[in-house]
Amino acid sequence: MLAMGLALQLRDFAALLRDRPLAILFGCAAQYAIMPAFGAIVSHALGLPPPLSAGLILLGCCPGGTASNVVTLVAQGDVPLSIVMTVCSTLAAVFLTPLLTKILAGAYIPVDAVKLSLSTLQVVVAPILLGSSIQTAFPSVVQFVTPFAPLMAVLASSLLACSVFSENFVRLRSTIADASSVSGNFFSRDIGIVMLSVFLLHFAGFFVGYAAAAIGGFKEKQRRAISIEVGMQNSSLGVVLATAHFSSPLVALPPALSAVIMNMMGSTLGLIWQSISPSVSENETTDITNA
């Protein structure tokens, strides 16, 4: 979040809000409609235990991740739109992430929306404002640091997810075994189910996000940006909120696994789209529609 703030110039942000208000509004609405809904649908369809269901829903209720901006660049999508969507969905997360988690996951385990909101404010908004303030006060320093900021952000997110998974690995295994009363290879099979649920959640975000943008009449570059933004979540925020506000370590498992699965899926999609020119893809879509 600090890296995002360092790269964010408020005047550019305001200009983009003026130029693409409909696309930004549509993308943010899709972010908080598609992913939370499919988080609940997938967890119910696979019959996940309550803590894992809550974790998957919490992941779906998180805003778009900063990695989506890099993937959009690789995929020849609308990068400015992706950046502004990330910022807007991140700022909206202070209210929408706790509210939607409370509504959708409250049936599984208790959710304190107020504490979630305060934590989101600390983790998300404060670093962005700090980064933007540093950029204004020390532009020369920020100009030197900015090229390294994305790498540091990716490393920080990766280390955060890995630390949570490794720290809770033994507890996760014993908790699952106790809950299931099944020995042998159940742990590996259960992890496979959680990985499948995370995969299906992100796949739904990519696919439904692109389809919704196409139905909405947006151009190909904007469709790609919206698809990637909807499909890629801020899994680090999910890990932080899960470990801070839920007693079961299982709640943090879907966001922690997402940090790996989501980036693999997003990178693969970005490379596929990189080989397909947006103009060619848009012409093909137009021809099919006319036919």
Side-chain angles (χ1 to χ4, degrees):
M1 293 299 101
L2 180 63
M4 182 191 295
L6 290 174
L8 179 64
Q9 294 187 5
L10 296 180
R11 61 177 180 274
D12 296 338
F13 180 65
L16 286 167
L17 285 174
R18 280 196 313 269
D19 295 340
R20 298 180 177 90
L22 183 59
I24 295 168
L25 180 62
F26 182 91
C28 291
Q31 172 75 48
Y32 284 111
I34 294 171
M35 295 301 279
F38 274 96
I41 292 171
V42 171
S43 63
H44 179 75
L46 295 180
L48 295 179
L52 293 176
S53 295
L56 190 69
I57 291 172
L58 174 62
L59 173 63
C61 295
C62 286
T66 53
S68 63
N69 308 146
V70 178
V71 174
T72 301
L73 176 63
V74 174
Q76 303 183 66
D78 191 332
V79 178
L81 173 61
S82 175
I83 294 173
V84 176
M85 282 178 56
T86 301
V87 174
C88 290
S89 67
T90 299
L91 295 176
V94 176
F95 306 102
L96 292 180
T97 296
L99 176 63
L100 293 173
T101 303
K102 175 72 173 178
I103 293 173
L104 296 174
Y108 295 103
I109 55 178
V111 178
D112 192 327
V114 176
K115 289 185 178 179
L116 277 179
S117 181
L118 291 175
S119 291
T120 307
L121 185 67
Q122 294 170 347
V123 174
V124 170
V125 178
I128 289 179
L129 294 179
L130 177 61
S132 183
S133 300
I134 293 174
Q135 183 193 69
T136 303
F138 309 101
S140 58
V141 176
V142 171
Q143 187 176 7
F144 174 77
V145 173
T146 297
F148 306 99
L151 176 61
M152 294 303 297
V154 171
L155 288 176
S157 300
S158 301
L159 290 172
L160 178 62
C162 291
S163 67
V164 168
F165 188 78
S166 60
E167 181 183 358
N168 293 294
F169 183 84
V170 176
R171 271 197 296 166
L172 289 170
R173 183 167 187 165
S174 61
T175 302
I176 293 175
D178 292 341
S180 62
S181 299
V182 178
S183 59
N185 65 347
F186 179 80
F187 177 72
S188 60
R189 190 166 68 248
D190 197 78
I191 289 294
I193 294 175
V194 181
M195 292 177 67
L196 175 62
S197 69
V198 172
F199 173 85
L200 291 175
L201 175 63
H202 290 297
F203 179 83
F206 290 126
F207 181 79
V208 179
Y210 183 89
I215 294 172
F218 294 99
K219 295 182 179 179
E220 178 63 21
K221 296 184 80 135
Q222 294 177 330
R223 294 176 199 170
R224 295 183 182 185
I226 292 173
S227 170
I228 293 169
E229 187 67 27
V230 172
M232 300 190 72
Q233 301 295 91
N234 189 337
S235 54
S236 298
L237 177 62
V239 169
V240 170
L241 295 179
T243 54
H245 297 287
F246 296 93
S247 58
S248 173
L250 292 177
V251 179
L253 183 56
L257 290 175
S258 169
V260 178
I261 296 172
M262 172 191 69
N263 285 313
M264 291 176 62
M265 294 177 67
S267 300
T268 302
L269 181 61
L271 290 174
I272 292 172
W273 267 333
Q274 188 181 46
S275 63
I276 305 173
S277 172
S279 58
V280 172
S281 180
E282 190 169 353
N283 290 336
E284 290 176 351
T285 305
T286 303
D287 293 339
I288 293 173
T289 304
N290 291 336

